[in-house]
Amino acid sequence: MKGLAGVNTIVVIGLGMTGLSVVNHLMRLPQSLTIKVIDTRDNPPGQDQLPESVALCSGQWNTEWLLSADMIIASPGIALATPELVLAAEAGVEIIGDIELFAREVDKPVVAITGSNGKSTVTSLVGEMAKEAGIDVGVGGNIGFAALDMLAQQHQLYVLELSSFQLETTSSLELTAAVYLNLSEDHMDRYPGGLAQYSQAKMRIFDHAKLAVFNRDDLATKPTQFSGSMTSFGFDEQAYGIVLVDGKEWLAVNGEAVMAVADIALVGRHNVANCLAALALADAAGIPRDASCRAMQHYTGLAHRCQLAVNRHGVRWVNDSKATNLASTLAALNGLQLEGKLHLLMGGDSKGAEFSELKPVLADLNVQLYSFGRDRHLFDDVTSNVISVETMSEAMEQVSRTVQSGDMVLLSPACASWDQFANFMARGDAFVEQAIKLQDSVSGNS
């Protein structure tokens, strides 16, 4: 089998959705393999779904298994700098991830998206563009479905969101087109080399791409060494950009107007850039332009991404739980216009980030900041109006006592959720659920 020649014993590191997708994929192959799984959690999710023939070591590492393996397939959450993996690598054991395994098996066109922010929106939008054109498309990777699970469906086109973690263990992914959306500080606890090391991991998306798409307004996304074709997106008239038609902005390709910006269903300036990036990928994948435009006219975005949860008594409760880093929150705040006060909920696991960039942005807003979670103290100095509480629920209770008609309650944490929630989705769902309960206690006229 392509990519696994000479491989007999494979050790999968980490269960959960990704680990199970790897095991299930390997079990589908005609090649006879010995498959073992290591998960350092005592009760790893998905262990009840493992086939009886797959051995599981839980609660600890098994160095003997690692050193005797022909290949190790590590989940993205496991850093390659982990001592046990370093030991195996030094012993000559090949270590890859699920995306590399996907790369060695896929035989249909693939486009991929990376960047610090906007990945999920662009990935989903390209998928909607393909569906609008009647193309059987698989959308996943770091969002939704595991890449290997999609491979079993034999789609005509694959659209992958790829994180820096996934790209670290990917070396042969051939892409019809790849886009690097933007770069901002994130996951600094994983990258001791700082922003440069983080960006270097993301740049791997271009290694075997036919077309590289970068952000003209963030030149850190432009590959410095690339032999294929390149294009870009941005807010001027070049390549995928913006032109004025009768005084109104239009999306354009090489100066040719394609669609009025006012007709885009997504909200926010950052989403105009996301549409341009998606259009570049769709064009490269052969998706008809009219289908792409129809998709942009009806695609309203994903849950937990500036999602209007409740709008009652003149108060809007907005769920932006997906904002797990500062840049995402800044994007949500950019150009925000309110007739009343902004009640901003921030906090959680900072992942080593700092938040001084918020000061000038918040200085221009009528804002009351509520900080919560493990790293809430990091927000003490970003504005003079800070209320610090332990939990998001406490913050929302306090908001409900003072919020008035015309106000917005915005959950845009700028932090990961792991200190108090399983993931950002659970945090967002909790926000929506409590907002619905609280809305009836808010008169909006106090």
Side-chain angles (χ1 to χ4, degrees), residues 109 224 246 297 311-312 335:
T224 54
D246 296 329
Q297 288 169 352
N311 185 5
R312 194 167 176 184

Side-chain angles (χ1 to χ4, degrees), residues 271-295:
N271 277 322
V272 176
N274 288 336
C275 284
L276 290 169
L279 187 59
L281 293 182
D283 283 355
I287 298 172
R289 193 73 67 68
D290 60 343
S292 295
C293 289
R294 289 196 301 273

Side-chain angles (χ1 to χ4, degrees), residues 15-25 27 37 44-54 56 149:
L15 261 178
M17 182 181 77
T18 299
L20 281 173
S21 75
V22 171
V23 170
N24 291 335
H25 173 76
M27 294 291 292
V37 176
Q47 60 182 322
D48 57 328
Q49 299 175 52
L50 281 178
E52 291 183 4
S53 61
V54 176
L56 171 65
D149 285 345

